[in-house]
């Protein structure tokens, strides 16, 4: 690997670690309402946040390099880490993070389309956002106990990022999220961490599915 791309990846990892430690971990901590004695300490939260953000930043930078779309994808990872931490702790995705995520990703994708001149990708992104939002909304109506409105709202920014790359990436990202969620649910049942009537946080699986699709098929 040439020195310049290697340095870019390392720099992205360092940036991710710094952002994960602060302010992302602090942002997540402030959105968790569980009493402090019943959840992980801020220091532990910072460690996991820094690791997850650094790994996500490094992988996406390795895959896309200095492409104009990279900032939008890094924004998905950064805010997705915050949302995943809250979801794993309290089984909810707070609007205080969801709404800024949607706006930030949308603005960065507009900028990416302007820099590349590929405005049709922006149309794909809007269609992907609307399609993923509607899909999750229908699922939430059918099974409100299995799909929360936070998941429905999270689908909008994820659909934006996936849709920018076309329908193949969008479909893989959506499908991968359900596969990962199913595997996590099965493992949780086998380990007796949840019952058949219980639920597991789905936000992290949605994020992992989207990132996986971007890494494997984005381009």
């Amino acid at each position: 690997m040439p020195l310049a791309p290697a340095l870019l990846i390392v720099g992205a990892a360092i940036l991710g670690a710094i952002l994960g430690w602060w302010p992302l971990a602090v942002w997540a901590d402030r959105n968790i309402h569980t009493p402090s004695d019943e959840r992980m300490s801020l220091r532990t939260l910072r460690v996991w946040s820094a690791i997850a953000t650094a790994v996500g930043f490094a992988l996406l930078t390795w895959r896309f390099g200095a492409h104009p779309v990279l900032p939008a994808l890094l924004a998905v990872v950064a805010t997705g880490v915050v949302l995943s931490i809250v979801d794993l702790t309290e089984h909810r995705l707070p609007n205080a993070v969801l709404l800024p995520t949607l706006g930030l990703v949308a603005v960065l994708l507009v900028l990416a389309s302007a820099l590349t001149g590929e405005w049709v990708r922006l149309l794909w992104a809007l269609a992907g956002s609307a399609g993923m939002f509607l899909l999750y909304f229908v699922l939430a109506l059918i099974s409100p106990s299995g799909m929360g409105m936070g998941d429905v709202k999270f689908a909008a920014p994820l659909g934006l990022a996936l849709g920018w790359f076309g329908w193949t990436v969008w479909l893989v990202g959506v499908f991968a999220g359900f596969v990962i969620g199913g595997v996590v649910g099965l493992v949780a049942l086998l380990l007796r961490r949840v019952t058949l009537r219980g639920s597991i946080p789905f936000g992290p699986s949605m994020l992992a599915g989207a990132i996986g699709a971007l890494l494997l098929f984005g381009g």
Side-chain angles (χ1 to χ4, degrees):
M1 179 183 296
L3 180 59
L7 289 175
L8 184 64
I9 294 170
V10 171
I14 294 174
L15 175 62
I18 293 173
L19 290 176
W21 185 269
W22 188 92
L24 297 181
V26 175
W27 198 7
D29 187 65
R30 289 176 178 174
N31 279 279
I32 296 174
H33 299 151
T34 302
S36 58
D37 59 343
E38 297 178 13
R39 55 185 167 106
M40 70 176 72
S41 66
L42 178 57
R43 182 177 180 84
T44 302
L45 190 152
R46 278 177 161 169
V47 170
W48 284 109
S49 176
I51 292 173
T53 310
V55 170
F57 274 32
L59 288 174
L60 287 172
T61 303
W62 164 75
R63 178 66 178 82
F64 295 98
H67 194 281
V69 78
L70 181 63
L73 304 183
L74 297 185
V76 169
V77 171
T79 55
V81 166
V82 176
L83 289 165
S84 295
I85 290 173
V86 178
D87 201 15
L88 288 169
T89 304
E90 297 187 330
H91 290 210
R92 69 183 184 89
L93 296 168
N95 288 331
V97 182
L98 284 169
L99 298 180
T101 298
L102 178 59
L104 178 59
V105 174
V107 169
L108 291 174
L109 286 180
V110 170
L111 180 60
S113 297
L115 292 174
T116 61
E118 296 181 288
W119 290 104
V120 68
R121 287 184 179 269
L122 189 59
L123 296 178
W124 294 347
L126 293 174
S129 178
M132 194 166 176
F133 177 87
L134 289 174
L135 172 63
Y136 274 78
F137 183 71
V138 171
L139 292 175
L141 291 179
I142 295 174
S143 179
S145 61
M147 186 71 64
M149 288 307 298
D151 300 321
V152 176
K153 297 171 187 175
F154 192 29
L158 291 181
L160 269 177
L162 292 171
W164 201 85
F165 292 92
W167 288 109
T168 298
V169 176
W170 186 89
L171 288 170
V172 172
V174 173
F175 181 72
F178 286 111
V179 171
I180 294 172
V183 171
V184 171
L186 180 60
V187 171
L189 281 172
L190 293 175
L191 295 178
R192 297 183 179 180
R193 296 295 181 88
V194 66
T195 66
L196 288 174
R197 293 182 177 274
S199 63
I200 60 171
F202 197 58
S205 298
M206 295 171 66
L207 178 65
I211 293 175
L214 291 168
L215 291 173
L216 293 175
F217 300 101

